[in-house]
Amino acid sequence: MKGRGGSGDGRVAFARVYSGILKARDSIRVISPNSLSSASNSDGDNPNDKNKKHKFSVSKIGGMLELSGGQFNNLPEGSCRSGDVCALVGLKGVVTGDTLLLTSAAASLDDAPQKSKKKSAKSNKKNKGNNSAHHKQYANGVHLAGLASPLPVLTLRLEASSASEQARLSSALALLVVEDPSLVVEETPTTTHISGLGELHVEIVLDRLRREYGLEVRTGTPRVTYRETVLLDDGDDEVETDGMVEYDRTVGGVQLQGTVRLRLSRPPTLEGDCIPPEDPVVTLSPETCKYFNIDPKSASSSRDDDESLEHKYPPALRALLSGARGSLKRGRLGPHPLANLECHILEVDSELASSDASFVGAMRAAAANAVTTLLESLVNEGRMVVLEPKMNVEISVPTGKVGDVLSDLTGRRGMVDDVAMAEEGGGGDHVKSMVRAEVPLIEILGYANSLRSLTGGEGAFSAEYKGHAPQDGL
């Protein structure tokens, strides 16, 4: 998706055709993998939803463009065959990662079950499974996997020069987010924050705002995204509360009482010390499910973005999960959310009856208290650690300045992985060598100016986000 060209707000969608032929003026069904999975999860076990078709937006291709040297030329009778890449205009509801399906293809399969009724009973019996499978596949939305964007690691505050410029800034950022799913924009009535995958990513966004939209914005100090986690590398792969943790308070004349036992562990899918962070997962034990009278098989693990799975849970159980998640969003070493943890609620009890009005609040408070109590004990044991973003850095530097650059990287808590010295020959100290290192993101903010000073303007570097790792060397 690019914010240039000619269709209303200037969007041009670059698409690759995997099967069939796409033509100008064709009507297409737009399928977003994220919204589709969310809708599927929300169906639950309701028998009335089993045959329910998802509703997808339908758009019409306004035209096709021919790309030549950065210029866009209209193709009135344009078409794109399987394996080709095309540029489409007029698709305002499409975002990067969406799947486009010709409505005629879906309609032909929708009619397939009706046509099959005219066949013989033997033929019907043979093809019934295939036809219904194809029909269900298209009814529920054939789609590609889409794009998985990592969580942002750097946040920057933006401020427009006037109220009218602020409106233009909001519109421009909305288009950039459509194009780049890894860019996150948060707007409040007073501030605008953008978050990206590093300093270069954010600088490119600012440059595009100036160059393509004519917007000059004031920026604040970059803020790095930290996380916290529990150290589980000393032989213990999990930590558990010391029995049942009780919460008993009276608030406004209402008693809130409950006890919770839980366990924190590292998800088995996470391996390595420097990995992109994942939000905590909260799971329920069979005993907890029994306490709330739900089927343990339906209580699958759930993340914050999958809470639609829990619509069938009783309010008290939803409050229990909410209380645990809320405490996991607040670290004990600083204002950093926790990451790379699985919270398993083992046992729950309360003196209150489930019919009491305060029972829901008691479950939320008891879960939050149990998580907080366990985390505070881990802090006292020195088993909590701050995770900071690390970058893979490649530096092109004159051979004569390699020593200065290595010394500077050491002062920035960098870990040098490789130094590729240039072969001896002509050029002397101006021959370029390559230095590869792993450096905390906070240490290379504004590194371009420092490198320029160290190398007399001859050095250059690139940085790529690697993951979050325990903070050390401070």
Side-chain angles (χ1 to χ4, degrees):
M1 182 74 67
K2 300 292 285 185
R4 59 181 71 178
S7 77
D9 56 8
R11 300 188 195 184
V12 176
F14 294 87
R16 178 174 183 177
V17 179
Y18 282 85
S19 64
I21 301 176
L22 195 63
K23 300 179 180 179
R25 309 300 176 185
D26 277 347
S27 294
I28 57 173
R29 179 183 292 177
V30 181
I31 304 172
S32 178
N34 293 332
S35 61
L36 181 63
S37 60
S38 175
S40 299
N41 289 339
S42 63
D43 287 346
D45 299 326
N46 189 347
N48 296 325
D49 292 335
K50 290 184 177 179
N51 298 322
K52 179 181 178 181
K53 294 182 181 179
H54 300 295
K55 293 183 179 180
F56 305 104
S57 63
V58 176
S59 299
K60 189 172 185 179
I61 299 175
M64 286 191 176
L65 300 179
E66 178 186 25
L67 308 180
S68 177
Q71 297 181 351
F72 296 81
N73 302 317
N74 287 318
L75 294 176
E77 303 298 329
S79 64
C80 187
R81 297 181 177 273
S82 178
D84 294 337
V85 176
C86 55
L88 312 175
V89 296
L91 304 178
K92 295 186 179 181
V94 174
V95 299
T96 300
D98 283 354
T99 298
L100 309 181
L101 176 66
L102 281 174
T103 54
S104 57
S108 63
L109 277 159
D110 286 343
D111 294 338
Q114 299 297 329
K115 295 179 180 179
S116 65
K117 293 180 180 179
K118 300 179 181 180
K119 297 181 181 181
S120 64
K122 182 177 181 180
S123 177
N124 270 337
K125 184 176 180 180
K126 181 179 180 180
N127 296 327
K128 182 178 180 181
N130 292 335
N131 285 334
S132 63
H134 282 298
H135 176 255
K136 181 178 180 181
Q137 185 184 36
Y138 274 81
N140 291 335
V142 160
H143 65 282
L144 302 176
L147 299 177
S149 300
L151 296 174
V153 297
L154 187 70
T155 301
L156 191 67
R157 181 176 59 84
L158 304 183
E159 183 179 337
S161 58
S162 63
S164 59
E165 292 291 295
Q166 181 62 42
R168 292 181 55 210
L169 175 62
S170 298
S171 300
L173 290 175
L175 289 176
L176 293 178
V177 169
V178 168
E179 175 183 338
D180 182 4
S182 62
L183 176 66
V184 177
V185 177
E186 298 179 0
E187 290 187 289
T188 67
T190 57
T191 59
T192 299
H193 291 88
I194 61 172
S195 302
L197 300 181
E199 188 178 21
L200 180 60
H201 187 195
V202 174
E203 287 179 352
I204 290 174
V205 173
L206 297 177
D207 179 68
R208 292 191 61 187
L209 289 175
R210 288 189 293 265
R211 180 165 41 86
E212 298 180 15
Y213 299 95
L215 290 167
E216 293 290 341
V217 296
R218 294 187 289 269
T219 60
T221 303
R223 187 174 74 248
V224 174
T225 302
Y226 294 96
R227 295 296 188 98
E228 292 183 25
T229 193
V230 178
L231 288 177
L232 298 171
D233 55 355
D234 57 352
D236 296 332
D237 57 355
E238 58 186 36
V239 289
E240 188 175 320
T241 57
D242 186 12
M244 300 286 284
V245 178
E246 183 178 14
Y247 179 87
D248 192 355
R249 299 285 190 279
T250 300
V251 181
V254 178
Q255 183 187 14
L256 301 177
Q257 193 278 334
T259 56
V260 175
R261 183 169 66 93
L262 54 82
R263 179 177 65 229
L264 294 179
S265 62
R266 184 182 176 93
T269 56
L270 300 181
E271 297 181 358
D273 294 328
C274 187
I275 56 177
E278 293 188 3
D279 293 332
V281 181
V282 180
T283 60
L284 303 173
S285 68
E287 291 78 9
T288 303
C289 295
K290 183 179 179 181
Y291 182 82
F292 289 98
N293 297 319
I294 66 168
D295 183 4
K297 295 181 180 179
S298 66
S300 57
S301 65
S302 57
R303 300 176 186 265
D304 282 343
D305 56 358
D306 289 335
E307 290 184 11
S308 57
L309 290 170
E310 301 164 11
H311 70 283
K312 56 184 176 295
Y313 290 173
L317 180 54
R318 294 201 298 268
L320 182 80
L321 295 171
S322 175
R325 292 195 185 100
S327 287
L328 291 170
K329 290 181 179 179
R330 299 184 297 273
R332 313 310 300 174
L333 301 178
H336 320 304
L338 279 87
N340 303 338
L341 289 174
E342 180 175 307
C343 177
H344 194 52
I345 300 179
L346 302 172
E347 193 175 352
V348 178
D349 197 8
S350 177
E351 297 175 356
L352 304 174
S354 59
S355 58
D356 289 348
S358 60
F359 184 66
V360 172
M363 288 295 98
R364 179 181 289 106
N369 177 65
V371 173
T372 301
T373 301
L374 179 56
L375 292 179
E376 288 179 348
S377 67
L378 293 173
V379 171
N380 296 332
E381 297 174 7
R383 300 185 63 180
M384 293 287 294
V385 64
V386 175
L387 301 177
E388 63 177 349
K390 296 291 186 73
M391 309 294 286
N392 283 328
V393 179
E394 288 192 356
I395 308 172
S396 175
V397 55
T399 300
K401 300 292 184 179
V402 169
D404 295 336
V405 171
L406 293 179
S407 177
D408 181 69
L409 288 176
T410 302
R412 296 174 183 271
R413 298 188 289 126
M415 180 181 297
V416 178
D417 297 327
D418 181 39
V419 179
M421 301 295 293
E423 296 181 0
E424 296 183 0
D429 290 343
H430 296 284
V431 177
K432 297 294 182 66
S433 298
M434 183 67 69
V435 177
R436 297 180 178 86
E438 179 184 303
V439 190
L441 173 60
I442 189 66
E443 299 289 351
I444 59 170
L445 295 179
Y447 183 60
N449 293 331
S450 300
L451 182 63
R452 194 177 299 116
S453 300
L454 285 173
T455 62
E458 296 187 51
F461 82 102
S462 63
E464 180 183 9
Y465 172 66
K466 179 181 180 181
H468 276 59
Q471 191 177 51
D472 54 7
L474 291 178

